[in-house]
Amino acid sequence: MNPDTTSAIDTGTPGANRDPRMPVLFVPHGAGPCFFMDWNPADTWTRMATFLKGIADTLPATPRAIVLVSGHWLESAFSTTGHARPGLIYDYNGFPPHTYELTYPAPGEPQLAARIVQQLEEGGQPARVDPVRGYDHGMFIPLKLMFPKADIPVIQLSLRRDLDPAAHIQAGRALSALRDEGVLIVGSGMSFHNMRGYGDPRYTPVSAKFDAWLTEAVESKTPRREALLADWASAPHARDSHPPGGEEHLLPLLVAAGASAGSEGRKVYSEEVMKTTLSAFRFG
């Protein structure tokens, strides 16, 4: 008789499978569809693209599903995509016509979306399923490089519009158990995101100092890590790196940190792009 291989995602029963524990990631998603178009200089995004393409080989197994938190979706309460076949939202402007024809037909997973909402609510965070929302470019641009076959179910999770740091850490905590069920949790944003700073050499030391602080915070033990990230706006050059009200590209990192469940954090990629330091982090 074959052993029961029904997954916990299907049954809603934690521990009903033998999947290896997944890490949690925070990755940069670049500038619009930058990886799929010509740029000047031509190699501006090459190293970042190479990093993203190499992530799958660093995982303990192919994920059963992906939960991706995008810096491009804000709602009054945490929301998940709930459609079985979400379309794409080309939420960037002024790029070449072919970049509006990019595809990423990854399936959704309505059962998992509903379960995530339940977990968030049990963790003290109001949440809802959005049955029609598609995938924005904070999702499909990096995942086209990370998992180009688009054959892994993806649930996209919004940020909360008030951008409250503690709430986003708490939301991550509520989802941490999914890691033991083969679910990869990914925060998609940018460690530096001040549009006025890109390409400006005055922001090179600014972004480097903030990145050094961010790295120290991520690499701290869990209680200190969460305390530092909850008060990230007090970091050196925090508001030069993420202007007031514009920290939506940093908040996915706080969700990822909350989901780390005590795992060690470390920087796994960093380089200077357009005169600013950009980094990626991994927990576990």
Side-chain angles (χ1 to χ4, degrees), residues 5-177:
T5 57
T6 303
S7 77
I9 293 175
D10 294 329
T11 66
T13 304
N17 62 81
R18 290 172 289 277
D19 294 307
R21 186 177 224 203
M22 284 290 163
V24 185
L25 304 174
F26 172 77
V27 301
H29 59 233
C34 61
F35 308 113
F36 304 98
M37 56 181 284
D38 294 331
W39 206 275
N40 188 20
D43 64 349
T44 298
W45 303 101
T46 300
R47 282 187 60 197
M48 188 180 293
T50 299
F51 163 72
L52 292 169
K53 290 176 182 178
I55 284 176
D57 288 338
T58 72
L59 301 177
T62 300
R64 289 180 177 270
I66 298 168
V67 176
L68 185 140
V69 188
S70 170
H72 286 271
W73 186 17
L74 282 73
E75 295 285 352
S76 58
F78 289 107
S79 302
T80 68
T81 52
H83 200 284
R85 289 285 174 183
L88 299 189
I89 302 171
Y90 300 97
D91 53 336
Y92 40 75
N93 297 302
F95 290 93
H98 77 270
T99 64
Y100 299 90
E101 299 174 359
L102 295 170
T103 61
Y104 195 75
E109 178 52 77
Q111 277 188 302
L112 179 57
R115 184 169 165 216
I116 288 169
V117 166
Q118 180 181 357
Q119 289 175 310
L120 288 167
E121 290 178 336
E122 290 174 351
Q125 295 295 333
R128 60 181 287 269
V129 173
D130 187 324
V132 298
R133 167 86 183 191
Y135 298 135
D136 61 53
H137 85 272
M139 176 278 198
F140 70 83
I141 291 298
L143 288 192
K144 276 182 72 69
L145 295 173
M146 294 166 64
F147 302 100
K149 293 181 180 179
D151 56 354
I152 300 172
V154 181
I155 302 298
Q156 189 170 327
L157 175 66
S158 80
L159 300 175
R160 212 171 75 176
R161 187 172 284 117
D162 64 4
L163 302 175
D164 177 65
H168 288 82
I169 293 171
Q170 186 178 14
R173 285 195 209 118
L175 303 181
S176 63

Side-chain angles (χ1 to χ4, degrees), residues 126-263:
R128 60 181 287 269
V129 173
D130 187 324
V132 298
R133 167 86 183 191
Y135 298 135
D136 61 53
H137 85 272
M139 176 278 198
F140 70 83
I141 291 298
L143 288 192
K144 276 182 72 69
L145 295 173
M146 294 166 64
F147 302 100
K149 293 181 180 179
D151 56 354
I152 300 172
V154 181
I155 302 298
Q156 189 170 327
L157 175 66
S158 80
L159 300 175
R160 212 171 75 176
R161 187 172 284 117
D162 64 4
L163 302 175
D164 177 65
H168 288 82
I169 293 171
Q170 186 178 14
R173 285 195 209 118
L175 303 181
S176 63
L178 293 174
R179 296 174 58 195
D180 294 314
E181 301 171 25
V183 178
L184 179 66
I185 299 173
V186 180
S188 171
M190 296 286 269
S191 58
F192 175 95
H193 196 256
N194 183 340
M195 300 303 291
R196 298 176 65 180
Y198 291 127
D200 186 338
R202 293 175 297 178
Y203 282 82
T204 302
V206 166
S207 63
K209 288 179 180 178
F210 179 72
D211 190 82
W213 178 90
L214 196 60
T215 301
E216 180 183 356
V218 166
E219 294 181 350
S220 298
K221 298 296 184 182
T222 300
R224 183 169 186 263
R225 176 165 69 212
E226 292 188 352
L228 288 170
L229 292 175
D231 192 32
W232 73 270
S234 298
H237 295 295
R239 286 306 186 183
D240 295 321
S241 301
H242 297 275
E247 59 263 36
E248 72 285 341
H249 277 66
L250 181 66
L251 269 292
L253 173 59
L254 275 63
V255 179
S260 67
S263 297

